mmCIF file of all heavy atoms in Angstrom:
data_model
loop_
_atom_site.group_PDB
_atom_site.id
_atom_site.type_symbol
_atom_site.label_atom_id
_atom_site.label_comp_id
_atom_site.label_asym_id
_atom_site.label_seq_id
_atom_site.Cartn_x
_atom_site.Cartn_y
_atom_site.Cartn_z
ATOM 1 N N ALA A 328 -18.777 8.705 6.137
ATOM 2 C CA ALA A 328 -17.538 9.114 5.433
ATOM 3 C C ALA A 328 -17.704 8.678 3.947
ATOM 4 O O ALA A 328 -16.795 8.316 3.279
ATOM 5 C CB ALA A 328 -16.308 8.419 6.054
ATOM 6 N N VAL A 329 -18.946 8.771 3.478
ATOM 7 C CA VAL A 329 -19.382 8.629 2.056
ATOM 8 C C VAL A 329 -18.775 7.223 1.591
ATOM 9 O O VAL A 329 -18.947 6.252 2.372
ATOM 10 C CB VAL A 329 -19.053 9.835 1.226
ATOM 11 C CG1 VAL A 329 -19.914 9.866 0.017
ATOM 12 C CG2 VAL A 329 -19.141 11.085 2.019
ATOM 13 N N CYS A 330 -18.136 7.221 0.450
ATOM 14 C CA CYS A 330 -17.712 5.954 -0.098
ATOM 15 C C CYS A 330 -16.633 5.233 0.718
ATOM 16 O O CYS A 330 -16.402 4.000 0.617
ATOM 17 C CB CYS A 330 -17.286 6.066 -1.548
ATOM 18 S SG CYS A 330 -18.513 6.783 -2.647
ATOM 19 N N ALA A 331 -15.909 5.982 1.612
ATOM 20 C CA ALA A 331 -14.941 5.404 2.441
ATOM 21 C C ALA A 331 -15.609 4.996 3.838
ATOM 22 O O ALA A 331 -14.971 4.504 4.663
ATOM 23 C CB ALA A 331 -13.818 6.384 2.684
ATOM 24 N N GLY A 332 -16.858 5.161 3.940
ATOM 25 C CA GLY A 332 -17.554 4.907 5.204
ATOM 26 C C GLY A 332 -17.339 3.574 5.769
ATOM 27 O O GLY A 332 -17.271 3.349 7.025
ATOM 28 N N PHE A 333 -17.401 2.522 4.885
ATOM 29 C CA PHE A 333 -17.264 1.193 5.417
ATOM 30 C C PHE A 333 -15.905 0.962 6.066
ATOM 31 O O PHE A 333 -15.765 0.323 7.135
ATOM 32 C CB PHE A 333 -17.545 0.133 4.388
ATOM 33 C CG PHE A 333 -17.586 -1.238 4.957
ATOM 34 C CD1 PHE A 333 -18.697 -1.713 5.664
ATOM 35 C CD2 PHE A 333 -16.452 -2.088 4.879
ATOM 36 C CE1 PHE A 333 -18.694 -3.000 6.236
ATOM 37 C CE2 PHE A 333 -16.503 -3.382 5.457
ATOM 38 C CZ PHE A 333 -17.642 -3.747 6.145
ATOM 39 N N ILE A 334 -14.820 1.523 5.436
ATOM 40 C CA ILE A 334 -13.532 1.313 6.010
ATOM 41 C C ILE A 334 -13.382 2.035 7.378
ATOM 42 O O ILE A 334 -12.844 1.592 8.356
ATOM 43 C CB ILE A 334 -12.388 1.911 5.069
ATOM 44 C CG1 ILE A 334 -12.511 1.189 3.698
ATOM 45 C CG2 ILE A 334 -11.019 1.847 5.623
ATOM 46 C CD1 ILE A 334 -11.525 0.103 3.401
ATOM 47 N N TYR A 335 -14.031 3.260 7.421
ATOM 48 C CA TYR A 335 -14.031 4.050 8.651
ATOM 49 C C TYR A 335 -14.798 3.246 9.752
ATOM 50 O O TYR A 335 -14.444 3.146 10.980
ATOM 51 C CB TYR A 335 -14.756 5.386 8.452
ATOM 52 C CG TYR A 335 -13.818 6.573 8.095
ATOM 53 C CD1 TYR A 335 -13.157 6.462 6.885
ATOM 54 C CD2 TYR A 335 -13.587 7.565 8.955
ATOM 55 C CE1 TYR A 335 -12.265 7.594 6.606
ATOM 56 C CE2 TYR A 335 -12.743 8.653 8.627
ATOM 57 C CZ TYR A 335 -12.117 8.656 7.477
ATOM 58 O OH TYR A 335 -11.261 9.741 7.113
ATOM 59 N N ALA A 336 -15.964 2.617 9.326
ATOM 60 C CA ALA A 336 -16.781 1.888 10.324
ATOM 61 C C ALA A 336 -16.008 0.610 10.810
ATOM 62 O O ALA A 336 -16.052 0.316 12.053
ATOM 63 C CB ALA A 336 -18.130 1.494 9.653
ATOM 64 N N LEU A 337 -15.372 0.010 9.871
ATOM 65 C CA LEU A 337 -14.580 -1.241 10.235
ATOM 66 C C LEU A 337 -13.423 -0.899 11.201
ATOM 67 O O LEU A 337 -13.264 -1.607 12.182
ATOM 68 C CB LEU A 337 -14.028 -1.798 8.955
ATOM 69 C CG LEU A 337 -13.621 -3.240 8.873
ATOM 70 C CD1 LEU A 337 -14.833 -4.133 9.017
ATOM 71 C CD2 LEU A 337 -12.904 -3.574 7.572
ATOM 72 N N SER A 338 -12.798 0.234 10.958
ATOM 73 C CA SER A 338 -11.650 0.689 11.780
ATOM 74 C C SER A 338 -12.205 0.994 13.234
ATOM 75 O O SER A 338 -11.600 0.599 14.183
ATOM 76 C CB SER A 338 -11.044 1.875 11.165
ATOM 77 O OG SER A 338 -9.922 2.255 11.976
ATOM 78 N N THR A 339 -13.362 1.662 13.188
ATOM 79 C CA THR A 339 -13.986 2.008 14.570
ATOM 80 C C THR A 339 -14.395 0.794 15.254
ATOM 81 O O THR A 339 -14.089 0.610 16.548
ATOM 82 C CB THR A 339 -15.219 2.886 14.240
ATOM 83 O OG1 THR A 339 -14.857 4.018 13.401
ATOM 84 C CG2 THR A 339 -15.807 3.418 15.572
ATOM 85 N N ALA A 340 -14.980 -0.129 14.606
ATOM 86 C CA ALA A 340 -15.476 -1.438 15.250
ATOM 87 C C ALA A 340 -14.220 -2.199 15.778
ATOM 88 O O ALA A 340 -14.297 -2.727 16.944
ATOM 89 C CB ALA A 340 -16.199 -2.272 14.270
ATOM 90 N N ASN A 341 -13.131 -2.161 14.984
ATOM 91 C CA ASN A 341 -11.920 -2.857 15.394
ATOM 92 C C ASN A 341 -11.416 -2.214 16.739
ATOM 93 O O ASN A 341 -11.131 -3.060 17.672
ATOM 94 C CB ASN A 341 -10.886 -2.653 14.270
ATOM 95 C CG ASN A 341 -9.585 -3.362 14.564
ATOM 96 O OD1 ASN A 341 -9.561 -4.472 15.104
ATOM 97 N ND2 ASN A 341 -8.477 -2.708 14.292
ATOM 98 N N GLY A 342 -11.430 -1.002 16.795
ATOM 99 C CA GLY A 342 -10.964 -0.269 18.000
ATOM 100 C C GLY A 342 -11.864 -0.595 19.249
ATOM 101 O O GLY A 342 -11.350 -0.851 20.340
ATOM 102 N N LEU A 343 -13.148 -0.612 18.973
ATOM 103 C CA LEU A 343 -14.142 -0.986 20.110
ATOM 104 C C LEU A 343 -13.937 -2.451 20.620
ATOM 105 O O LEU A 343 -14.080 -2.744 21.757
ATOM 106 C CB LEU A 343 -15.576 -0.872 19.618
ATOM 107 C CG LEU A 343 -15.991 0.662 19.373
ATOM 108 C CD1 LEU A 343 -17.275 0.711 18.574
ATOM 109 C CD2 LEU A 343 -16.055 1.406 20.709
ATOM 110 N N ILE A 344 -13.646 -3.364 19.672
ATOM 111 C CA ILE A 344 -13.387 -4.728 20.050
ATOM 112 C C ILE A 344 -12.023 -4.860 20.714
ATOM 113 O O ILE A 344 -11.958 -5.517 21.798
ATOM 114 C CB ILE A 344 -13.440 -5.684 18.744
ATOM 115 C CG1 ILE A 344 -14.905 -5.850 18.476
ATOM 116 C CG2 ILE A 344 -12.784 -7.018 19.013
ATOM 117 C CD1 ILE A 344 -15.271 -6.741 17.312
#
Side-chain angles (χ1 to χ4, degrees):
V329 205
C330 301
F333 187 79
I334 303 261
Y335 269 67
L337 202 68
S338 180
T339 307
N341 182 41
L343 290 165
I344 283 183

